[in-house]
Amino acid sequence: MSGPRLALIFPGQGAQQPGMGRPWAGRPGWFLAERAGEVSGRDVVELLLRADEDTLRRTDNAQLATFVLEMVILHEVRHALPAAKRPVVCAGHSLGEYAALVAAGIIGFDDGVRLVTARGEAMRAACATEPGTMAVVLGLSPELVEQAAAGVREDGGRVWVANLNSPQQSVVSGESGAVARCAEAAQALGALRIVSIPVGGAFHTPLMRPAAHAFVRAAQAAEFRPGHAPVVANVDARPHRGTDAWPQRLGQQITGPVRWAESVRTMADELYCDMFVEIGPGRTLTGLARKITPQVSRLTISEPGQLVAVPAPAPSPEDPSVTPSLRSSSVRSAA
């Protein structure tokens, strides 16, 4: 017998919240927060424990803090849930893709910290030169959201569909005025609600090209390995092993849309995953998965109390690689 066919999924910027590291401070995985501070030259522990909302809203702070917390949680998930050491596939939403690459063994933790630090700094600089904003469009198909954005672009506005999150949720991104006009057009086409996202940049659009150029140079210095699982990439919703193409792919991700709904379908329908495990703050991705592939089980792990059990076959007592603590662990599924 084999265990559940796990897909490990990781949220991105926007999931962060003040004090999100406090439940994990002092636990076995916390050493990674301290190591991340050494690698990045930033006070990561301060970001995770004491930074206020305004500090965490800053792009570079939000990205580094969220990535490191996901790594701290992943360290413990692998002990509570042995199948998480060898998932079928990994994926992350935007910034979360870097956590997925580490979880899949394609990059090491230190390189992950370096890449996320470089990405956050490059995107923050791009925001300063090309300010923008983003908004969530709810209750409208991606095709109609694109129709609304295309209409604004035809009139000279700079706005694009940045996230394709679910059949009824997309995110538009661009110059503030163009995003406002696109929101009005989407409502005229039947959108149920528009929710503004408090960011200072037009992420996942051509306005981020300066950030992409700066970041690719940093990415080319990282070591990309074959890994033990593929990562479904945001840019094309296809599974990829560790190859030399990842620096370019990650650069494209900064300026292109996140194809999350397609990515979830790839993991469920093509790779036959039967459980999504969301690792990181919040539960946004499991909520989206429920709408995209409701037949797949879901587990969210954002706090230590959720390190409880999922159904998995008991390992053989004769297996010398299994410690008593792992034999006795159990996990319970959660919606």
Side-chain angles (χ1 to χ4, degrees):
M1 292 179 64
S2 61
R5 294 181 60 82
L6 294 185
L8 302 184
I9 57 177
F10 300 87
Q13 184 176 350
Q16 75 276 357
Q17 52 189 304
M20 63 185 177
R22 290 175 194 157
W24 299 95
R27 290 183 60 90
W30 190 249
F31 75 96
L32 292 170
E34 297 166 351
R35 174 61 184 166
E38 297 172 2
V39 174
S40 67
R42 305 281 303 284
D43 194 342
V44 176
V45 170
E46 176 72 16
L47 289 176
L48 288 172
L49 298 182
R50 292 175 286 276
D52 60 21
E53 187 172 350
D54 287 340
T55 300
L56 282 180
R57 187 178 292 126
R58 207 177 84 176
T59 297
D60 53 343
N61 291 339
Q63 294 192 20
L64 184 57
T66 301
F67 167 80
V68 173
L69 181 62
E70 290 170 359
M71 294 292 93
V72 169
I73 300 174
L74 174 65
H75 178 84
E76 299 204 34
V77 169
R78 284 172 163 168
H79 288 281
L81 178 57
K85 295 178 182 178
R86 291 282 175 173
V88 171
V89 65
C90 301
H93 192 286
S94 189
L95 164 72
E97 191 157 85
Y98 296 81
L101 287 167
V102 176
I106 292 175
I107 59 174
F109 173 75
D110 285 7
D111 268 342
V113 172
R114 294 185 190 101
L115 289 174
V116 168
T117 301
R119 182 183 191 264
E121 291 173 353
M123 292 177 70
R124 185 184 179 209
C127 292
T129 57
E130 288 277 13
T133 192
M134 304 175 76
V136 182
V137 181
L138 298 168
L140 197 65
S141 72
E143 293 80 11
L144 288 177
V145 177
E146 173 54 35
Q147 179 180 324
V152 175
R153 289 197 302 273
E154 288 175 2
D155 289 337
R158 296 199 291 176
V159 62
W160 296 265
V161 178
N163 300 163
L164 298 155
N165 287 339
S166 79
Q168 293 293 301
Q169 184 190 119
S170 300
V171 174
V172 294
S173 180
E175 294 174 325
S176 296
V179 169
R181 286 155 54 198
C182 183
E184 293 175 359
Q187 286 180 312
L189 290 170
L192 297 180
R193 192 155 62 104
I194 308 294
V195 180
S196 177
I197 303 177
V199 296
F203 302 147
H204 300 290
T205 76
L207 298 183
M208 287 287 110
R209 281 197 186 109
H213 292 319
F215 171 78
V216 168
R217 289 194 294 271
Q220 288 170 341
E223 179 187 0
F224 290 85
R225 309 161 181 166
H228 52 74
V231 169
V232 175
N234 287 180
V235 296
D236 59 7
R238 304 305 308 157
H240 298 276
R241 294 276 182 174
T243 69
D244 291 337
W246 270 109
Q248 290 73 34
R249 201 174 287 125
L250 293 171
Q252 292 167 8
Q253 188 231 60
I254 292 175
T255 60
V258 174
R259 301 185 181 281
W260 188 251
E262 294 175 60
S263 298
V264 170
R265 293 190 190 99
T266 294
M267 291 184 280
D269 299 340
E270 297 184 29
L271 301 177
Y272 306 107
C273 294
D274 52 26
M275 176 172 283
F276 290 117
V277 181
E278 180 175 5
I279 296 172
R283 53 188 306 153
T284 298
L285 299 186
T286 45
L288 292 173
R290 184 174 63 247
K291 298 173 182 177
I292 300 164
T293 55
Q295 76 278 9
V296 179
S297 299
R298 299 165 301 278
L299 176 69
T300 301
I301 303 176
S302 59
E303 298 180 358
Q306 295 166 322
L307 286 170
V308 287
V310 309
S316 168
E318 290 75 29
D319 184 351
S321 68
V322 180
T323 65
S325 63
L326 292 186
R327 289 193 192 110
S328 62
S329 67
S330 59
V331 187
R332 184 181 48 198
S333 80

